Amino acid sequence: MARPGGRSARVQQSVHAAVGALVGEVGRDALTVPMVATRAGVTPFTIYRRWGDLQELLSDMAVERLRPETDPAALGSLRADLDAWAEQFLDEMASTPARAYIRDALLGDPDGTNAGRCSAYVAEQIDAVLARAVQRGEPVPERELLIDRVVAPIMYRILFRPGRLDAAYARELVTNAVCALQIEASARPTRAAAPGRSKKPDS
């Protein structure tokens, strides 16, 4: 999703900055739209028109905070890149601030838009890793397999069963995904072994 430009971007930046500063000063529970508007130098109507209410504003800000700031590390192989990315993803998403951002992003998301944006961030990062592997000539798994076998278990543990949230767990998930790719590749018949049409006997 493209970031807004021009005045819209300036308003978003000033409002987000105001929220961040005020949460540190007065706490989240004391936050109000008029308070944010005053600090940001805009009218409350501007905030209501763009975000609807305070919760939707907090959700929008949370989604932006969950946007990755850097590209995945390039370490020379698919496995190394996936290990590094999965470890970083787990470490960032399991942090206390990220847990709060996840909660806010989903609370103000009645139509699933915020969840879709967060999912797109992850997909873009995985696609970058896979694209580099393809350029090196390595076999690569489907993006959805990595989401199902690496991202989904991490998010489940973060949200519902916090435990094993460490680098070893991230690498274990990557191993499972890579093994699935290897099993799938070995199960494909080779050209020589593939059944062909039988020849008719000579008459």
Side-chain angles (χ1 to χ4, degrees), residues 126-182:
I126 292 174
D127 284 346
V129 171
L130 297 182
R132 288 200 298 252
V134 168
Q135 290 177 345
R136 291 191 295 263
E138 296 180 83
V140 298
E142 295 290 332
R143 177 215 294 162
E144 293 303 311
L145 185 144
L146 293 173
I147 289 176
D148 289 343
R149 301 206 175 201
V150 179
V151 178
I154 288 174
M155 295 307 299
Y156 182 88
R157 282 200 170 271
I158 288 172
L159 294 172
F160 303 116
R161 196 177 179 84
R164 297 198 65 203
L165 291 172
D166 55 23
Y169 178 60
R171 291 194 299 271
E172 178 183 316
L173 294 175
V174 172
T175 296
N176 293 339
V178 172
C179 285
L181 172 65
Q182 293 169 344

Side-chain angles (χ1 to χ4, degrees), residues 71-99:
D71 292 332
L75 301 179
S77 72
L78 174 65
R79 181 57 195 266
D81 287 1
L82 285 177
D83 277 343
W85 178 80
E87 289 176 30
Q88 182 177 0
F89 177 77
L90 184 152
D91 184 61
E92 291 178 352
M93 291 297 102
S95 68
T96 299
R99 289 172 189 259

